[in-house]
Amino acid sequence: MSVQEYLDKHALSRKIEDAVNAAVRAKTPDPVLFISNHMKKSVPSMITKVKARQILDSRGIPTVEVDLYTNKGMFRASAPSGASSGMYEAIELRDGDKGTYLGNGVSRAVRNVNEKISEALIGMDPTLQSQIDQAMIDLDRTEKKESQLVFTRPLLHFSNLFLPLRESAFWEFFFQGELGANAILAVSMAACKAGAAEKEVPLYKHIAVLSGNTNLSLPIPAFTLLSGGKYAGNFLPVKQIMILPIGARQFEEALQMGSETYHHLKAVISKKYGTDGCSVGEDGGFAPSITSIREGLDLVKEAIGRTGYSEKLKIAIDVDATEFCIGTKYDLDFKSPNNSGQNFKSGEDMINIYKDLCADYPIVSIEDPFDKEDWEHAKHFSNLGICQVVGDDLLMSNTKRIERAVQESACNALLLKVNQIGTVTEAIEIVKLAKDAHWGVVISQRSGETEDAFIADLCVGLAVSQIKAGAPCRGERLAKYNQLLRIEEDLGDQAVYVGDDWRLS
């Protein structure tokens, strides 16, 4: 091929002339840079490469990280992971080899990205998020991002199948996915970042366009102050006690309130329990040796009192009641080594406990107050209208369970964990479903987090009322809060902090 034939084939003369003319019209001070950028814009947008690797999350457990390449550059995302997964949510893919990372490796999920997903997505336009996500869902071929039940140890007797899962010492199982929700999510998030870059807009604005949202807002942060439940070595039965800076005027002020309260609480704990009481849980909350919910609430209340923000800070509790529900009863002493069995509570007892706590403390939100299948008491408590009732285990970000909860008024807020869904598009649809029901929406961290701040942009783009990203401590938690600071700065005079209108957002 001659030089002229090459020039003609690629229309280089015309493209270069167009770029030079554009630079002249713009009277740009740096014409070479202008022409370079102009030429890049003329190249069709497409995904050119998808590369995954295994990294470690904040717990030191493997997760999936993806680099997605387009002609605009490389865009990286990593999938968070929870300590457990419910039967109604998308299932992440683990290797199961006990000799490597105790069975938690994700090399198979990584291989699925590099060999299967990559091949399916190369050449696609990164701005077409729903088409990218649908391509992966079609490739996966399963509703829950999983396909088969695989036994990792031989069954000694078929009757083991009828033993409760927690009691059977003879076998264990895990769901293996065609691709794995962890593989799909990391790619979906990376593609979303690439789409924003292609449009030359911030990620949160790209997400807003994808969702059809025109009103951006910054969420109220639910800062974890105390950790309990199965995630901490104390006897506090509930999973988390948090604060909500409802009275702040902007997110920057809310973050300041959270940080100051956190450090005041550290001083209160240190004085009462010694420095050993200042150890922290997986999401940065303190885990002193407390034995009851009221003892924990008293500590938080004292810390709030020291800040001078008493009228601006409210309290939220994540009960995680499924973890201590036995049959139809709730064992508030489930963590005690000397559990006498005398502190079992009925669903009605739990409702009365919550009513008293809301009367005695500035509690405005309770998450998972009952077992995930205790629809009767969830409905009863939610209909009392005492506080926001958030569904996490109750809903598991599952469309069918959300629809049932809406019909039965079993809660009035959705807790969304993106890895329970699997793709950005599905997360957007779930939020729309909740908002159509006039629910609140809380976008949440997982116990296994990375430095990826994607959920911060997701919160603003979808204009949800709350973000639950842990304590104002630990880098993987602060990555989300710090990104919200940057977004507020980027929005300038257009920045709107949800504040007092949090239940109406």
Side-chain angles (χ1 to χ4, degrees):
M1 181 184 296
S2 67
V3 173
Q4 189 59 50
E5 288 174 336
Y6 182 82
L7 292 173
D8 292 342
K9 178 180 179 180
H10 297 286
L12 287 180
S13 298
R14 178 180 56 80
K15 291 177 180 178
I16 292 172
E17 182 179 354
D18 289 344
V20 171
N21 289 336
V24 172
R25 287 193 298 270
K27 294 182 173 56
T28 173
D30 191 339
V32 174
L33 180 60
F34 182 94
I35 291 170
S36 173
N37 291 333
H38 185 88
M39 295 292 286
K40 284 183 179 179
K41 290 179 182 179
S42 69
V43 179
S45 172
M46 69 173 64
I47 296 171
T48 58
K49 179 182 176 182
V50 184
K51 169 69 176 177
R53 66 180 61 85
Q54 177 174 274
I55 64 169
L56 298 185
D57 67 19
S58 58
R59 304 165 301 173
I61 295 176
T63 191
V64 179
E65 180 178 80
V66 166
D67 293 346
L68 185 144
Y69 294 79
T70 72
N71 46 37
K72 288 292 177 67
M74 184 273 286
F75 305 92
R76 178 172 291 160
S78 51
S81 177
S84 60
S85 60
M87 62 184 297
Y88 299 100
E89 64 184 79
I91 306 298
E92 60 188 17
L93 181 60
R94 299 281 177 182
D95 296 341
D97 177 6
K98 296 297 183 182
T100 305
Y101 284 113
L102 307 179
N104 291 314
V106 292
S107 62
R108 293 172 58 231
V110 167
R111 188 163 58 249
N112 284 340
V113 174
N114 293 337
E115 296 178 0
K116 297 179 181 180
I117 295 177
S118 177
E119 181 179 353
L121 299 190
I122 286 176
M124 293 189 71
D125 184 342
T127 65
L128 302 179
Q129 185 72 39
S130 62
Q131 292 184 23
I132 291 170
D133 291 341
Q134 190 60 52
M136 291 190 287
I137 292 171
D138 292 342
L139 187 64
D140 192 60
R141 300 194 301 274
T142 57
E143 182 178 346
K144 287 170 58 181
K145 316 298 182 293
E146 53 82 11
S147 64
Q148 57 184 325
L149 186 63
V150 174
F151 295 94
T152 61
R153 297 180 187 174
L155 297 177
L156 298 185
H157 194 279
F158 184 76
S159 61
N160 286 332
L161 286 171
F162 299 97
L163 292 174
L165 178 59
R166 292 181 182 177
E167 296 177 7
S168 175
F170 303 104
W171 64 278
E172 62 183 79
F173 71 89
F174 61 93
F175 286 109
Q176 292 188 333
E178 282 290 313
L179 301 177
N182 42 356
I184 292 174
L185 176 62
V187 175
S188 182
M189 291 163 56
C192 194
K193 294 178 181 181
E198 180 62 34
K199 291 182 178 179
E200 298 185 343
V201 297
L203 178 57
Y204 66 90
K205 289 186 178 179
H206 177 53
I207 292 171
V209 172
L210 292 175
S211 66
N213 175 43
T214 57
N215 299 312
L216 303 176
S217 61
L218 288 121
I220 288 179
F223 294 114
T224 303
L225 293 190
L226 292 176
S227 295
K230 70 175 184 179
Y231 298 91
N234 53 23
F235 300 134
L236 177 65
V238 302
K239 181 178 176 181
Q240 293 159 335
I241 298 178
M242 300 163 280
I243 55 167
L244 304 176
I246 291 171
R249 294 164 296 179
Q250 55 190 20
F251 183 82
E252 182 180 14
E253 183 182 16
L255 185 57
Q256 178 184 336
M257 289 179 177
S259 176
E260 291 178 5
T261 308
Y262 184 81
H263 288 286
H264 278 298
L265 178 60
K266 183 177 182 179
V268 170
I269 292 172
S270 182
K271 182 178 180 180
K272 291 190 175 184
Y273 304 93
T275 55
D276 289 346
C278 295
S279 60
V280 299
E282 289 180 339
D283 66 348
F286 294 115
S289 183
I290 52 182
T291 58
S292 70
I293 301 173
R294 284 186 176 271
E295 186 178 357
L297 288 169
D298 286 338
L299 290 174
V300 171
K301 190 174 180 180
E302 182 176 346
I304 290 174
R306 293 188 179 192
T307 65
Y309 302 133
S310 295
E311 299 303 315
K312 297 182 178 182
L313 294 173
K314 302 299 180 183
I315 295 176
I317 301 175
D318 179 359
V319 180
D320 197 17
T322 296
E323 290 300 324
F324 55 86
C325 181
I326 302 176
T328 61
K329 299 289 185 179
Y330 296 89
D331 182 10
L332 294 177
D333 287 338
F334 80 105
K335 297 175 69 177
S336 173
N338 301 315
N339 189 350
S340 64
Q342 300 300 308
N343 205 13
F344 277 71
K345 304 295 181 182
S346 67
E348 286 297 326
D349 292 334
M350 296 300 289
I351 288 175
N352 290 327
I353 289 173
Y354 298 140
K355 288 167 65 176
D356 290 343
L357 290 176
C358 289
D360 296 341
Y361 301 91
I363 297 172
V364 296
S365 181
I366 298 180
E367 179 183 332
D368 280 345
F370 305 97
D371 178 72
K372 65 179 181 294
E373 301 301 339
D374 191 350
W375 292 84
E376 177 186 352
H377 292 105
K379 177 180 178 180
H380 183 185
F381 182 61
S382 181
N383 286 333
L384 293 176
I386 295 174
C387 64
Q388 173 179 260
V389 181
V390 183
D392 177 12
D393 289 344
L394 180 73
L395 305 175
M396 300 182 209
S397 302
N398 179 274
T399 302
K400 293 177 181 178
R401 291 181 71 88
I402 292 172
E403 290 172 346
R404 177 182 175 182
V406 170
Q407 293 172 358
E408 298 186 17
S409 300
C411 61
N412 51 42
L414 162 72
L415 188 95
L416 173 66
K417 298 170 178 175
V418 289
N419 73 314
Q420 287 182 328
I421 297 292
T423 68
V424 173
T425 300
E426 290 169 294
I428 291 172
E429 293 304 317
I430 287 289
V431 170
K432 286 181 179 178
L433 182 62
K435 287 194 170 189
D436 286 345
H438 305 290
W439 280 10
V441 178
V442 186
I443 291 183
S444 177
Q445 60 174 3
R446 297 311 310 260
S447 57
E449 272 294 339
T450 73
E451 61 272 25
D452 195 320
F454 184 86
I455 64 170
D457 288 83
L458 188 65
C459 283
V460 178
L462 300 183
V464 306
S465 56
Q466 299 145 75
I467 182 172
K468 181 181 175 183
C473 167
R474 298 185 52 137
E476 76 281 356
R477 314 295 158 178
L478 290 171
K480 285 69 170 172
Y481 296 134
N482 288 338
Q483 176 64 3
L484 286 167
L485 282 178
R486 299 181 193 105
I487 293 173
E488 184 171 63
E489 180 182 276
D490 185 52
L491 286 170
D493 294 339
Q494 303 300 313
V496 176
Y497 176 67
V498 171
D500 291 327
D501 296 327
W502 68 290
R503 291 295 298 275
L504 304 175
S505 297

